[in-house]
Amino acid sequence: MSLLTILRYPDPRLHTVARPVAAVDERIRQLVDDMCQTMYEADGVGLAATQVDVHECVIVMDTSDSRDQLQVLINPEIIAASAEMHVAEEGCLSVPLVYDKVERHARVTVRALGRDGQPHEFEAEGLAAICVQHEMDHLLGKVFVEYLSALKRDRIRTKMLKKARDDLRGD
Ligand code: GNR
Ligand code: NI
C-alpha cells in the first residue's frame, strides 16, 4: 500500500470528470487499497479518486466512529433520492480548514460495484448520505465550495493559494 498525494483546491485537475471503471482488476484493487490508506491517514470520512488525480469512478468511505466500516463504491449511481433536503456543514480534504453549509438530499439509494466487482445497493442517510453525494460530486469534477457564493469562493481560493505558498516556505 502507499500513501497518495491529495490535490488541493484550486487545482484545475479537481474539475476533471471521471470515466467509469471498465473492469475491477488488480490495478483498481491496488488503487482502492492506496485510497483507503490515504483516507484513514488523513482522518477523512471519504475520498474520491479525483482527489488523488486518478480520473476513474472510485470512492472509498468510512463514516463510522470506530473507523472499521469501510465502503468501496466503484461506478456508483444514485438510483433514488428523497425530496427532503438537509443543510449541514461540510469540509473537504482538498480544501483544508474550510467548512461551510451545503444542502443535500436527506436520503439516497446508491448502486455500485464493490472491491470484488459485485454490484450492491444500499440506502444512506445522515453523514453517509452527505458523504456519498459529496464524493460523487468529486467524480463529476465538482468541489463543495462551488455551492457557495462567488464571494466566499474567491476568498477561499485566495486563502488556499496563500496557504500553499506558506506550506512551501515551511512557515
Ligand atoms: O473527511 C471529510 N469530512 C466531511 C465532512 C462533512 C461533509 C463531507 C465530508 S467529506 C470529507 C473527505 C473528503 O474531502 N472527501 O471528498
Ligand atoms: Ni472532498
Side-chain angles (χ1 to χ4, degrees):
M1 289 217 276
S2 30
L3 271 182
L4 306 172
T5 303
I6 299 175
L7 299 178
R8 297 274 184 92
Y9 185 84
D11 191 310
R13 292 172 289 182
L14 285 169
H15 304 303
T16 311
V17 178
R19 60 187 175 279
V21 168
V24 182
D25 54 15
E26 198 46 47
R27 181 181 66 88
I28 294 296
R29 284 191 289 271
Q30 184 66 55
L31 171 65
V32 164
D33 294 347
D34 291 346
M35 285 174 61
C36 287
Q37 191 189 356
T38 305
M39 172 184 74
Y40 285 120
E41 207 269 341
D43 258 324
V45 298
L47 188 70
T50 310
Q51 293 176 277
V52 294
D53 202 24
V54 175
H55 303 287
E56 294 181 73
C57 294
V58 177
I59 289 167
V60 297
M61 276 176 51
D62 188 340
T63 55
S64 70
D65 288 334
S66 45
R67 312 293 288 149
D68 60 357
Q69 302 289 314
L70 176 68
Q71 284 180 289
V72 175
L73 310 181
I74 298 169
N75 298 344
E77 296 169 77
I78 291 181
I79 57 177
S82 64
E84 186 189 349
M85 307 296 282
H86 280 171
V87 175
E89 193 97 341
E90 295 196 15
C92 181
L93 294 173
S94 295
V95 199
L97 308 177
V98 172
Y99 303 89
D100 215 322
K101 286 176 178 162
V102 178
E103 185 177 49
R104 305 278 190 187
H105 296 287
R107 287 171 301 284
V108 289
T109 307
V110 180
R111 179 184 295 150
L113 306 179
R115 191 181 178 284
D116 59 2
Q118 292 304 305
H120 62 284
E121 286 179 18
F122 63 98
E123 194 176 40
E125 62 177 358
L127 180 57
I130 294 167
C131 192
V132 170
Q133 293 171 82
H134 175 115
E135 304 311 336
M136 287 183 68
D137 273 350
H138 276 302
L139 299 180
L140 293 171
K142 186 158 185 171
V143 180
F144 85 97
V145 299
E146 291 169 67
Y147 290 106
L148 309 179
S149 68
L151 177 64
K152 279 190 177 177
R153 202 161 54 244
D154 278 353
R155 285 182 177 152
I156 292 165
R157 173 187 291 267
T158 304
K159 179 173 163 177
M160 289 298 113
L161 291 171
K162 178 177 187 307
K163 180 169 162 38
R165 276 199 307 276
D166 292 350
D167 287 355
L168 267 181
R169 284 158 45 101
D171 55 28

